mmCIF file with all atom_site columns, all heavy atoms in Angstrom:
data_model
loop_
_atom_site.group_PDB
_atom_site.id
_atom_site.type_symbol
_atom_site.label_atom_id
_atom_site.label_alt_id
_atom_site.label_comp_id
_atom_site.label_asym_id
_atom_site.label_entity_id
_atom_site.label_seq_id
_atom_site.pdbx_PDB_ins_code
_atom_site.Cartn_x
_atom_site.Cartn_y
_atom_site.Cartn_z
_atom_site.occupancy
_atom_site.B_iso_or_equiv
_atom_site.pdbx_formal_charge
_atom_site.auth_seq_id
_atom_site.auth_comp_id
_atom_site.auth_asym_id
_atom_site.auth_atom_id
_atom_site.pdbx_PDB_model_num
ATOM 1   N N   . GLU P 1 39  ? -4.346  0.960   14.913 1.00 54.00 ? 48  GLU P N   1
ATOM 2   C CA  . GLU P 1 39  ? -4.851  0.841   16.295 1.00 54.00 ? 48  GLU P CA  1
ATOM 3   C C   . GLU P 1 39  ? -3.768  0.563   17.320 1.00 54.00 ? 48  GLU P C   1
ATOM 4   O O   . GLU P 1 39  ? -4.052  0.255   18.472 1.00 54.00 ? 48  GLU P O   1
ATOM 5   C CB  . GLU P 1 39  ? -5.952  -0.228  16.399 1.00 54.00 ? 48  GLU P CB  1
ATOM 6   C CG  . GLU P 1 39  ? -5.484  -1.655  16.461 1.00 54.00 ? 48  GLU P CG  1
ATOM 7   C CD  . GLU P 1 39  ? -6.593  -2.636  16.793 1.00 54.00 ? 48  GLU P CD  1
ATOM 8   O OE1 . GLU P 1 39  ? -7.754  -2.245  16.851 1.00 54.00 ? 48  GLU P OE1 1
ATOM 9   O OE2 . GLU P 1 39  ? -6.267  -3.822  17.002 1.00 54.00 ? 48  GLU P OE2 1
ATOM 10  N N   . LEU P 1 40  ? -2.484  0.714   16.946 1.00 64.00 ? 49  LEU P N   1
ATOM 11  C CA  . LEU P 1 40  ? -1.407  0.400   17.868 1.00 64.00 ? 49  LEU P CA  1
ATOM 12  C C   . LEU P 1 40  ? -0.898  1.627   18.616 1.00 64.00 ? 49  LEU P C   1
ATOM 13  O O   . LEU P 1 40  ? -0.147  1.491   19.580 1.00 64.00 ? 49  LEU P O   1
ATOM 14  C CB  . LEU P 1 40  ? -0.238  -0.248  17.115 1.00 64.00 ? 49  LEU P CB  1
ATOM 15  C CG  . LEU P 1 40  ? -0.554  -1.587  16.438 1.00 64.00 ? 49  LEU P CG  1
ATOM 16  C CD1 . LEU P 1 40  ? 0.665   -2.091  15.681 1.00 64.00 ? 49  LEU P CD1 1
ATOM 17  C CD2 . LEU P 1 40  ? -1.000  -2.610  17.464 1.00 64.00 ? 49  LEU P CD2 1
ATOM 18  N N   . LEU P 1 229 ? -9.559  -3.032  22.911 1.00 87.00 ? 238 LEU P N   1
ATOM 19  C CA  . LEU P 1 229 ? -8.714  -3.434  21.788 1.00 87.00 ? 238 LEU P CA  1
ATOM 20  C C   . LEU P 1 229 ? -8.834  -4.943  21.635 1.00 87.00 ? 238 LEU P C   1
ATOM 21  O O   . LEU P 1 229 ? -9.261  -5.640  22.552 1.00 87.00 ? 238 LEU P O   1
ATOM 22  C CB  . LEU P 1 229 ? -7.243  -3.041  22.029 1.00 87.00 ? 238 LEU P CB  1
ATOM 23  C CG  . LEU P 1 229 ? -6.906  -1.545  22.043 1.00 87.00 ? 238 LEU P CG  1
ATOM 24  C CD1 . LEU P 1 229 ? -5.492  -1.323  22.550 1.00 87.00 ? 238 LEU P CD1 1
ATOM 25  C CD2 . LEU P 1 229 ? -7.074  -0.919  20.663 1.00 87.00 ? 238 LEU P CD2 1
ATOM 26  N N   . ALA P 1 230 ? -8.427  -5.454  20.484 1.00 91.00 ? 239 ALA P N   1
ATOM 27  C CA  . ALA P 1 230 ? -8.640  -6.867  20.179 1.00 91.00 ? 239 ALA P CA  1
ATOM 28  C C   . ALA P 1 230 ? -7.967  -7.799  21.183 1.00 91.00 ? 239 ALA P C   1
ATOM 29  O O   . ALA P 1 230 ? -8.593  -8.749  21.670 1.00 91.00 ? 239 ALA P O   1
ATOM 30  C CB  . ALA P 1 230 ? -8.140  -7.166  18.763 1.00 91.00 ? 239 ALA P CB  1
ATOM 31  N N   . ARG P 1 231 ? -6.711  -7.571  21.485 1.00 91.00 ? 240 ARG P N   1
ATOM 32  C CA  . ARG P 1 231 ? -5.978  -8.508  22.359 1.00 91.00 ? 240 ARG P CA  1
ATOM 33  C C   . ARG P 1 231 ? -6.545  -8.548  23.783 1.00 91.00 ? 240 ARG P C   1
ATOM 34  O O   . ARG P 1 231 ? -6.806  -9.636  24.305 1.00 91.00 ? 240 ARG P O   1
ATOM 35  C CB  . ARG P 1 231 ? -4.490  -8.172  22.364 1.00 91.00 ? 240 ARG P CB  1
ATOM 36  C CG  . ARG P 1 231 ? -3.799  -8.485  21.048 1.00 91.00 ? 240 ARG P CG  1
ATOM 37  C CD  . ARG P 1 231 ? -2.288  -8.297  21.129 1.00 91.00 ? 240 ARG P CD  1
ATOM 38  N NE  . ARG P 1 231 ? -1.673  -8.571  19.851 1.00 91.00 ? 240 ARG P NE  1
ATOM 39  C CZ  . ARG P 1 231 ? -1.376  -9.781  19.394 1.00 91.00 ? 240 ARG P CZ  1
ATOM 40  N NH1 . ARG P 1 231 ? -1.646  -10.842 20.145 1.00 91.00 ? 240 ARG P NH1 1
ATOM 41  N NH2 . ARG P 1 231 ? -0.807  -9.933  18.213 1.00 91.00 ? 240 ARG P NH2 1
ATOM 42  N N   . PRO P 1 232 ? -6.708  -7.413  24.446 1.00 92.00 ? 241 PRO P N   1
ATOM 43  C CA  . PRO P 1 232 ? -7.286  -7.506  25.798 1.00 92.00 ? 241 PRO P CA  1
ATOM 44  C C   . PRO P 1 232 ? -8.710  -8.042  25.808 1.00 92.00 ? 241 PRO P C   1
ATOM 45  O O   . PRO P 1 232 ? -9.094  -8.748  26.737 1.00 92.00 ? 241 PRO P O   1
ATOM 46  C CB  . PRO P 1 232 ? -7.218  -6.063  26.314 1.00 92.00 ? 241 PRO P CB  1
ATOM 47  C CG  . PRO P 1 232 ? -6.977  -5.215  25.123 1.00 92.00 ? 241 PRO P CG  1
ATOM 48  C CD  . PRO P 1 232 ? -6.251  -6.046  24.140 1.00 92.00 ? 241 PRO P CD  1
ATOM 49  N N   . LEU P 1 233 ? -9.494  -7.757  24.784 1.00 95.00 ? 242 LEU P N   1
ATOM 50  C CA  . LEU P 1 233 ? -10.845 -8.314  24.716 1.00 95.00 ? 242 LEU P CA  1
ATOM 51  C C   . LEU P 1 233 ? -10.798 -9.833  24.667 1.00 95.00 ? 242 LEU P C   1
ATOM 52  O O   . LEU P 1 233 ? -11.537 -10.520 25.385 1.00 95.00 ? 242 LEU P O   1
ATOM 53  C CB  . LEU P 1 233 ? -11.576 -7.787  23.476 1.00 95.00 ? 242 LEU P CB  1
ATOM 54  C CG  . LEU P 1 233 ? -12.170 -6.381  23.568 1.00 95.00 ? 242 LEU P CG  1
ATOM 55  C CD1 . LEU P 1 233 ? -12.710 -5.958  22.207 1.00 95.00 ? 242 LEU P CD1 1
ATOM 56  C CD2 . LEU P 1 233 ? -13.272 -6.306  24.609 1.00 95.00 ? 242 LEU P CD2 1
ATOM 57  N N   . SER P 1 234 ? -9.929  -10.364 23.826 1.00 95.00 ? 243 SER P N   1
ATOM 58  C CA  . SER P 1 234 ? -9.815  -11.817 23.699 1.00 95.00 ? 243 SER P CA  1
ATOM 59  C C   . SER P 1 234 ? -9.308  -12.439 24.993 1.00 95.00 ? 243 SER P C   1
ATOM 60  O O   . SER P 1 234 ? -9.776  -13.500 25.408 1.00 95.00 ? 243 SER P O   1
ATOM 61  C CB  . SER P 1 234 ? -8.888  -12.164 22.531 1.00 95.00 ? 243 SER P CB  1
ATOM 62  O OG  . SER P 1 234 ? -9.417  -11.673 21.317 1.00 95.00 ? 243 SER P OG  1
ATOM 63  N N   . ALA P 1 235 ? -8.362  -11.774 25.634 1.00 95.00 ? 244 ALA P N   1
ATOM 64  C CA  . ALA P 1 235 ? -7.797  -12.301 26.882 1.00 95.00 ? 244 ALA P CA  1
ATOM 65  C C   . ALA P 1 235 ? -8.830  -12.321 28.005 1.00 95.00 ? 244 ALA P C   1
ATOM 66  O O   . ALA P 1 235 ? -8.772  -13.167 28.904 1.00 95.00 ? 244 ALA P O   1
ATOM 67  C CB  . ALA P 1 235 ? -6.590  -11.463 27.291 1.00 95.00 ? 244 ALA P CB  1
ATOM 68  N N   . MET P 1 236 ? -9.794  -11.401 27.950 1.00 96.00 ? 245 MET P N   1
ATOM 69  C CA  . MET P 1 236 ? -10.799 -11.305 29.014 1.00 96.00 ? 245 MET P CA  1
ATOM 70  C C   . MET P 1 236 ? -12.091 -12.039 28.683 1.00 96.00 ? 245 MET P C   1
ATOM 71  O O   . MET P 1 236 ? -13.081 -11.935 29.423 1.00 96.00 ? 245 MET P O   1
ATOM 72  C CB  . MET P 1 236 ? -11.112 -9.836  29.305 1.00 96.00 ? 245 MET P CB  1
ATOM 73  C CG  . MET P 1 236 ? -9.955  -9.071  29.911 1.00 96.00 ? 245 MET P CG  1
ATOM 74  S SD  . MET P 1 236 ? -10.457 -7.432  30.549 1.00 96.00 ? 245 MET P SD  1
ATOM 75  C CE  . MET P 1 236 ? -10.938 -6.598  29.036 1.00 96.00 ? 245 MET P CE  1
ATOM 76  N N   . PHE P 1 255 ? -11.655 -2.794  17.480 1.00 89.00 ? 264 PHE P N   1
ATOM 77  C CA  . PHE P 1 255 ? -10.775 -3.606  16.633 1.00 89.00 ? 264 PHE P CA  1
ATOM 78  C C   . PHE P 1 255 ? -11.184 -3.447  15.166 1.00 89.00 ? 264 PHE P C   1
ATOM 79  O O   . PHE P 1 255 ? -12.332 -3.112  14.843 1.00 89.00 ? 264 PHE P O   1
ATOM 80  C CB  . PHE P 1 255 ? -10.834 -5.083  17.040 1.00 89.00 ? 264 PHE P CB  1
ATOM 81  C CG  . PHE P 1 255 ? -12.224 -5.590  17.284 1.00 89.00 ? 264 PHE P CG  1
ATOM 82  C CD1 . PHE P 1 255 ? -13.005 -6.088  16.252 1.00 89.00 ? 264 PHE P CD1 1
ATOM 83  C CD2 . PHE P 1 255 ? -12.764 -5.560  18.555 1.00 89.00 ? 264 PHE P CD2 1
ATOM 84  C CE1 . PHE P 1 255 ? -14.291 -6.541  16.480 1.00 89.00 ? 264 PHE P CE1 1
ATOM 85  C CE2 . PHE P 1 255 ? -14.059 -6.010  18.799 1.00 89.00 ? 264 PHE P CE2 1
ATOM 86  C CZ  . PHE P 1 255 ? -14.821 -6.505  17.760 1.00 89.00 ? 264 PHE P CZ  1
ATOM 87  N N   . ASP P 1 259 ? -9.609  -8.327  12.606 1.00 93.00 ? 268 ASP P N   1
ATOM 88  C CA  . ASP P 1 259 ? -9.498  -8.997  13.903 1.00 93.00 ? 268 ASP P CA  1
ATOM 89  C C   . ASP P 1 259 ? -10.840 -9.448  14.464 1.00 93.00 ? 268 ASP P C   1
ATOM 90  O O   . ASP P 1 259 ? -10.890 -10.067 15.529 1.00 93.00 ? 268 ASP P O   1
ATOM 91  C CB  . ASP P 1 259 ? -8.828  -8.068  14.917 1.00 93.00 ? 268 ASP P CB  1
ATOM 92  C CG  . ASP P 1 259 ? -7.398  -7.743  14.554 1.00 93.00 ? 268 ASP P CG  1
ATOM 93  O OD1 . ASP P 1 259 ? -6.704  -8.644  14.040 1.00 93.00 ? 268 ASP P OD1 1
ATOM 94  O OD2 . ASP P 1 259 ? -6.970  -6.587  14.764 1.00 93.00 ? 268 ASP P OD2 1
ATOM 95  N N   . TRP P 1 262 ? -11.364 -13.257 15.043 1.00 94.00 ? 271 TRP P N   1
ATOM 96  C CA  . TRP P 1 262 ? -10.493 -13.707 16.131 1.00 94.00 ? 271 TRP P CA  1
ATOM 97  C C   . TRP P 1 262 ? -11.122 -13.350 17.486 1.00 94.00 ? 271 TRP P C   1
ATOM 98  O O   . TRP P 1 262 ? -11.172 -14.178 18.400 1.00 94.00 ? 271 TRP P O   1
ATOM 99  C CB  . TRP P 1 262 ? -9.118  -13.045 15.949 1.00 94.00 ? 271 TRP P CB  1
ATOM 100 C CG  . TRP P 1 262 ? -8.200  -13.114 17.123 1.00 94.00 ? 271 TRP P CG  1
ATOM 101 C CD1 . TRP P 1 262 ? -8.018  -14.169 17.963 1.00 94.00 ? 271 TRP P CD1 1
ATOM 102 C CD2 . TRP P 1 262 ? -7.333  -12.076 17.586 1.00 94.00 ? 271 TRP P CD2 1
ATOM 103 N NE1 . TRP P 1 262 ? -7.072  -13.856 18.920 1.00 94.00 ? 271 TRP P NE1 1
ATOM 104 C CE2 . TRP P 1 262 ? -6.646  -12.583 18.707 1.00 94.00 ? 271 TRP P CE2 1
ATOM 105 C CE3 . TRP P 1 262 ? -7.051  -10.779 17.159 1.00 94.00 ? 271 TRP P CE3 1
ATOM 106 C CZ2 . TRP P 1 262 ? -5.705  -11.826 19.402 1.00 94.00 ? 271 TRP P CZ2 1
ATOM 107 C CZ3 . TRP P 1 262 ? -6.107  -10.038 17.855 1.00 94.00 ? 271 TRP P CZ3 1
ATOM 108 C CH2 . TRP P 1 262 ? -5.455  -10.555 18.956 1.00 94.00 ? 271 TRP P CH2 1
ATOM 109 N N   . VAL P 1 263 ? -11.642 -12.132 17.616 1.00 96.00 ? 272 VAL P N   1
ATOM 110 C CA  . VAL P 1 263 ? -12.282 -11.724 18.864 1.00 96.00 ? 272 VAL P CA  1
ATOM 111 C C   . VAL P 1 263 ? -13.536 -12.568 19.115 1.00 96.00 ? 272 VAL P C   1
ATOM 112 O O   . VAL P 1 263 ? -13.781 -13.033 20.242 1.00 96.00 ? 272 VAL P O   1
ATOM 113 C CB  . VAL P 1 263 ? -12.640 -10.227 18.827 1.00 96.00 ? 272 VAL P CB  1
ATOM 114 C CG1 . VAL P 1 263 ? -13.456 -9.829  20.054 1.00 96.00 ? 272 VAL P CG1 1
ATOM 115 C CG2 . VAL P 1 263 ? -11.370 -9.376  18.742 1.00 96.00 ? 272 VAL P CG2 1
#
Side-chain angles (χ1 to χ4, degrees):
E48 80 170 7
L49 298 178
L238 292 169
R240 290 187 181 278
L242 280 173
S243 298
M245 293 191 295
F264 45 87
D268 295 323
W271 166 40
V272 173

